[in-house]
């Protein structure tokens, strides 16, 4: 928090004043939002569409560290991680509600920064902030966001639909968010020992953005529509590829072969891994927070997906009896381990 600018105590506005202040400029964008903030409840009309709901809870010290996460980025990311869950159902997000608990170290200006990030994400993804709750806390900041989305019944994609011989695919590239976190933690340690040292973050933009300002892959859901592809199963990658593949296979009652040499990784991710002496494959498999989509498509859709620059085919689905395997670059077959990304051991 910047000490130069004036810090207003939340008690000067009071809880209602704060809510009014934070929500005064909201302009509703979606047809399905009949009533947003300002009454006892929001009113939504999804007509004959199905409603998809997901929620996430983030606590200071467990899921984020305000030593190196700017509040605006935190607000943005809190929304994005929720939207990612809706896209992973092949659905479209429409509304969010935001619950926050604040300790008295937070000023009005600090909460404004958080909301600047929340509003930016709402703007970018076309969702309406339609309500929330605000309370005080003795232990720092807690944010819980709930997102509502819509889909036609036939468009919904579950974790449970993968079939043997389906292609296993992923969007974007993996491991970047984890390498960004390693960099931030390294610089934070240096800063704690010597507060005069400026953090060395130049040249690391890509992995820092992957950690601090991830995007949810709504563009992939639009791409499916355009290509006339409906994945047979899908999940978003919040905990690392390995753990998500295991979830997907377990839910679908299948096994898989994942090829190490096919896992997409950015040059900057590999470079940082080398600098920190970490195997980049480990970052992709067991890191987390990439918020890419992992999905399966029927083999008959191969022609449609093979040349799309947004997707990479990383393996195929097998019978459950074969297990969930990683085929290494050297050709050995090893069982995937569910070493999910656990934020200091509590999920
Ligand atoms: P109640 O006492 O019924 O919980 P509140 O005074 O908490 O009502 O909320 C008033 C309105 O402001 C409601 O529409 C609620 O959804 C909204 N609201 C409360 N807190 C927030 C927040 N942190 N962000 C956005 N909207 C909020
Ligand atoms: Mg309330």
């Amino acid at each position: 928090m910047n000490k130069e600018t004036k810090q207003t105590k939340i008690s000067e506005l009071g809880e209602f004043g704060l809510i009014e202040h934070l929500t005064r400029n909201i302009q509703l964008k979606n047809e399905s939002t009949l009533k947003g903030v300002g009454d006892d409840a929001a009113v939504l009309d999804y007509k004959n569409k199905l409603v998809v709901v997901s929620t996430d809870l983030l606590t200071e010290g467990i899921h984020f560290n305000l030593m190196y996460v700017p509040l605006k980025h935190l607000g943005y990311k809190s929304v994005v991680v929720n939207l990612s869950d809706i896209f992973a159902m092949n659905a479209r997000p429409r509304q969010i509600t935001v619950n926050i608990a604040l300790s008295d170290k937070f000023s009005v200006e600090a909460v404004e920064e958080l909301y600047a990030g929340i509003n930016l994400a709402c703007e970018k993804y076309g969702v309406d902030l339609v309500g929330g709750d605000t309370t005080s806390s003795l232990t720092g900041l807690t944010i819980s966001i709930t997102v509502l989305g819509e889909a036609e019944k036939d468009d919904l994609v579950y974790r449970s639909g993968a079939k043997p011989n389906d292609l296993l695919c992923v969007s974007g590239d993996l491991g970047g968010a984890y390498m960004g976190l390693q960099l931030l933690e390294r610089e934070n340690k240096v800063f704690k020992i010597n507060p005069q040292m400026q953090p060395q973050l130049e040249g690391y933009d890509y992995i820092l953005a992957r950690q601090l300002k991830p995007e949810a892959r709504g563009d992939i859901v639009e791409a499916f529509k355009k290509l006339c592809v409906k994945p047979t199963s899908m999940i978003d990658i919040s905990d690392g590829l390995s753990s998500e593949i295991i979830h997907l296979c377990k839910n679908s009652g299948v096994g898989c072969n994942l090829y190490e040499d096919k896992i997409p990784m950015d040059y900057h991710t590999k470079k940082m891994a080398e600098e920190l002496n970490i195997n980049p494959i480990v970052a992709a498999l067991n890191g987390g927070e990439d918020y890419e989509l992992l999905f399966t498509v029927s083999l008959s859709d191969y022609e449609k997906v093979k040349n799309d620059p947004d997707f990479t085919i990383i393996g195929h689905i097998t019978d459950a009896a074969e297990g969930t395997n990683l085929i290494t670059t050297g050709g050995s077959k090893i069982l995937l381990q569910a070493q999910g990304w656990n934020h200091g051991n509590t999920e």
Side-chain angles (χ1 to χ4, degrees):
M1 277 171 254
N2 188 347
K3 294 196 179 64
E4 316 267 299
T5 53
K6 182 175 173 281
Q7 300 291 298
T8 313
K9 276 188 178 272
I10 287 176
S11 56
E12 284 182 35
L13 292 186
E15 185 196 320
F16 299 133
L18 178 70
I19 295 168
E20 153 69 23
H21 183 68
L22 293 173
T23 58
R24 69 196 184 285
N25 291 328
I26 292 179
Q27 281 178 357
L28 301 175
K29 307 180 237 346
N30 288 294
E31 213 180 291
S32 51
T33 314
L34 299 191
K35 172 80 193 167
V37 169
D39 212 310
D40 292 313
V43 183
L44 310 175
D45 181 359
Y46 279 99
K47 306 235 157 57
N48 46 11
K49 298 274 180 69
L50 294 191
V51 182
V52 186
V53 186
S54 180
T55 195
D56 252 313
L57 178 64
L58 303 173
T59 47
E60 184 176 349
I62 304 287
H63 301 95
F64 55 89
N65 183 343
L66 292 178
M67 285 291 288
Y68 52 75
V69 178
L71 282 162
K72 187 170 177 182
H73 287 78
L74 179 63
Y76 191 87
K77 183 168 171 175
S78 308
V79 177
V80 162
V81 303
N82 274 281
L83 303 183
S84 177
D85 284 320
I86 300 296
F87 292 133
M89 301 299 293
N90 205 31
R92 292 181 172 84
R94 296 294 183 223
Q95 289 89 14
I96 60 165
T97 60
V98 179
N99 301 323
I100 48 174
L102 301 161
S103 67
D104 57 13
K105 76 174 175 185
F106 294 93
S107 62
V108 172
E109 287 75 11
V111 190
E112 276 176 340
E113 273 299 292
L114 182 74
Y115 267 72
I118 290 174
N119 291 333
L120 190 63
C122 287
E123 208 50 56
K124 162 132 195 199
Y125 291 92
V127 299
D128 293 326
L129 202 180
V130 296
D133 204 14
T134 309
T135 182
S136 37
S137 133
L138 295 176
T139 53
L141 175 64
T142 300
I143 312 173
S144 174
I145 294 186
T146 298
V147 56
L148 294 113
E150 63 176 39
E152 302 282 352
K153 188 168 186 232
D154 290 344
D155 287 339
L156 282 171
V157 175
Y158 297 88
R159 294 178 178 183
S160 53
K163 298 271 178 307
N165 298 323
D166 282 355
L167 300 169
L168 182 66
C169 309
V170 70
S171 66
D173 58 79
L174 301 175
Y178 179 78
M179 293 320 305
L181 182 65
Q182 299 310 305
L183 172 66
L184 286 165
E185 288 195 333
R186 178 181 80 182
E187 294 306 312
N188 190 37
K189 266 190 207 132
V190 173
F191 176 79
K192 272 190 185 150
I193 295 165
N194 183 356
Q196 307 318 326
M197 288 277 282
Q198 285 302 307
Q200 300 290 306
L201 300 174
E202 299 87 56
Y204 295 106
D205 302 15
Y206 182 73
I207 55 171
L208 287 173
R210 294 291 286 169
Q211 169 58 223
L212 293 174
K213 195 173 177 285
E215 301 294 351
R217 301 304 307 261
D219 58 324
I220 299 292
V221 170
E222 298 311 323
F224 290 146
K225 191 108 215 161
K226 233 168 139 189
L227 293 169
C228 297
V229 171
K230 183 186 171 192
T232 51
S233 70
M234 184 148 62
I235 187 169
D236 73 323
I237 304 185
S238 52
D239 291 342
L241 181 62
S242 192
S243 142
E244 311 302 359
I245 288 183
I246 292 169
H247 277 309
L248 200 133
C249 286
K250 213 169 163 190
N251 277 274
S252 297
V254 295
C256 78
N257 288 331
L258 161 71
Y259 292 87
E260 178 182 357
D261 62 351
K262 302 277 189 248
I263 298 174
M265 275 179 294
D266 189 83
Y267 159 77
H268 297 92
T269 303
K270 291 189 201 158
K271 195 164 146 253
M272 187 77 231
E274 195 176 312
E275 196 179 319
L276 296 177
N277 227 337
I278 294 174
N279 182 346
I281 288 292
V282 174
L285 288 176
N286 300 331
E289 303 194 288
D290 284 315
Y291 300 104
E292 294 295 342
L293 294 173
L294 174 73
F295 56 95
T296 53
V297 295
S298 152
L299 197 51
S300 59
D301 283 331
Y302 173 69
E303 289 298 324
K304 295 184 191 164
V305 297
K306 70 169 188 196
N307 290 325
D308 197 300
D310 289 325
F311 319 137
T312 309
I313 301 170
I314 55 175
H316 59 260
I317 299 297
T318 62
D319 286 332
E322 310 240 350
T324 49
N325 305 293
L326 175 72
I327 312 296
T328 67
T329 309
S332 13
K333 198 181 213 187
I334 51 176
L335 267 188
L336 283 170
Q337 304 289 326
Q339 254 178 323
W341 174 234
N342 57 4
H343 313 264
N345 285 334
T346 21
E347 269 300 293

